[in-house]
Amino acid sequence: MMIPYGQRVTPDDRTTATRGLMRPRPSGRALRVTLAGLLAVWFALPLVPLLLWSVANRWSFPAVLPTEWGLDGLATALAQGGLPVFGRSFLLGLAVAAIATPLGALAARALTMGRVPAARLVSAILLAPLALPAFVAVMGLTIVLLRAQVPAPAAVLLLLVAAALPYTVYTMRVAYAAHDLAYEDEARTLGASPAHVLWRVHLPLVAPGLARAAFLAFLVGWSDYVVTVLVGGGTLVTLPLLVGSYAAGVGNDAVVAVLSLTAIVPPLLLLLALGRFGRRYPTARFAGPTASRSPKGSP
């Protein structure tokens, strides 16, 4: 049987049954399911007090459950502008992801393909935000941005993009290390233009890596506190700042619980979507006048 070039072939049930290495092992699968369940319980346990506090008007010690149920915390969070703050934080995370992901992909491709002089030095510079203390780096850059008269929202976005670049560059370097350039070369041989190679071949193949890089960049913009409070100067109020302001007071446990659960929802949904669709590797296609349907090496 001749297999077309680049096509993934899944063995049938007969082949799987006759080859020992391909046989599914029930014990191993049960162990993985058990470990996954234990990890899920471990990560879900801290959310239980938040869920109870979000629907509690009063919870006095030593009661195990809230002594008075209600939604006063939700009402207070909405009255203090919770929805606009949520939207502002969401847009900030999307903006950071939209800028840091393509920049990280371009840098990672250039570094992986060996097209950058002094690649080790460039890699060290790109990864420097992870080695420097965030407070020290932000304080130094804040003075530069203030003297340059950069508006606070633009300064926050610029610094968060710089903070997200190490994550996007590293993630995309891993993706490009496994990327096969033969697909792009074959598309050019068949007459594909650079735009067709980019949109029909390159991006579908690296889409899972781009999704993971964008998720990490979104988390940087969504959950940042230090950069926003120091550079924003109170003019840009995001969800972490609102949570921190209420957590610093006394008697705001219900509001803090509601805001904290709100902060968990977008990353959790994105993580579930990434786990559901991030492992799919779309088949690169080229539809052109000179495209051939015959396998490579066949007439």
Side-chain angles (χ1 to χ4, degrees):
M1 180 182 65
M2 182 174 292
I3 302 174
Y5 178 73
Q7 180 175 334
R8 299 176 64 182
V9 178
T10 303
D12 53 17
D13 296 338
R14 181 179 179 182
T15 304
T16 304
T18 56
R19 298 185 182 181
L21 293 178
M22 295 184 179
R23 296 176 185 173
R25 292 174 171 79
S27 59
R29 183 176 182 181
L31 179 61
R32 290 194 298 268
V33 171
T34 303
L35 291 177
L38 292 176
L39 287 176
V41 172
W42 175 262
F43 285 109
L45 280 178
L47 301 180
V48 175
L50 292 178
L51 290 172
L52 293 176
W53 264 118
S54 63
V55 292
N57 292 343
R58 181 180 300 173
W59 193 352
S60 303
F61 182 82
V64 178
L65 294 176
T67 54
E68 182 179 344
W69 303 87
L71 298 176
D72 289 350
L74 177 60
T76 304
L78 293 176
Q80 296 299 321
L83 285 180
V85 170
F86 178 88
R88 196 176 300 119
S89 297
F90 191 76
L91 291 177
L92 181 61
L94 290 180
V96 172
I99 298 175
T101 303
L103 291 179
L106 292 174
R109 182 179 174 89
L111 290 171
T112 306
M113 304 306 172
R115 300 174 181 175
V116 178
R120 292 185 178 180
L121 178 60
V122 175
S123 299
I125 294 175
L126 290 174
L127 296 177
L130 295 179
L132 296 175
F135 186 83
V136 175
V138 171
M139 289 299 296
L141 293 174
T142 301
I143 299 175
V144 177
L145 294 174
L146 288 176
R147 291 183 177 180
Q149 297 182 354
V150 179
V156 171
L157 179 61
L158 180 63
L159 291 180
L160 290 180
V161 168
L165 276 178
Y167 302 99
T168 58
V169 171
Y170 178 78
T171 303
M172 292 309 300
R173 287 194 71 173
V174 174
Y176 279 119
H179 181 61
D180 190 359
L181 292 176
Y183 292 103
E184 301 180 21
D185 296 337
E186 185 175 4
R188 295 189 188 95
T189 303
L190 294 174
S193 63
H196 276 80
V197 173
L198 176 63
W199 293 103
R200 289 292 190 81
V201 180
H202 179 74
L203 289 181
L205 290 175
V206 299
L210 288 173
R212 289 188 286 268
F215 173 73
L216 294 176
F218 175 83
L219 288 183
V220 172
W222 171 260
S223 60
D224 174 75
Y225 181 87
V226 176
V227 174
T228 308
V229 72
L230 293 180
V231 181
T235 60
L236 183 64
V237 181
T238 58
L239 193 58
L241 266 65
L242 194 61
V243 174
S245 63
Y246 274 100
V250 179
N252 300 320
D253 297 316
V255 182
V256 172
V258 171
L259 294 176
S260 299
L261 290 175
T262 305
I264 295 173
V265 171
L268 182 60
L269 293 179
L270 290 177
L271 184 61
L272 293 176
L274 184 63
R276 178 65 177 85
F277 302 104
R279 295 182 180 180
R280 293 185 177 181
Y281 290 81
T283 303
R285 295 175 299 174
F286 168 62
T290 60
S292 175
R293 294 182 178 271
S294 60
K296 186 176 181 180
S298 63

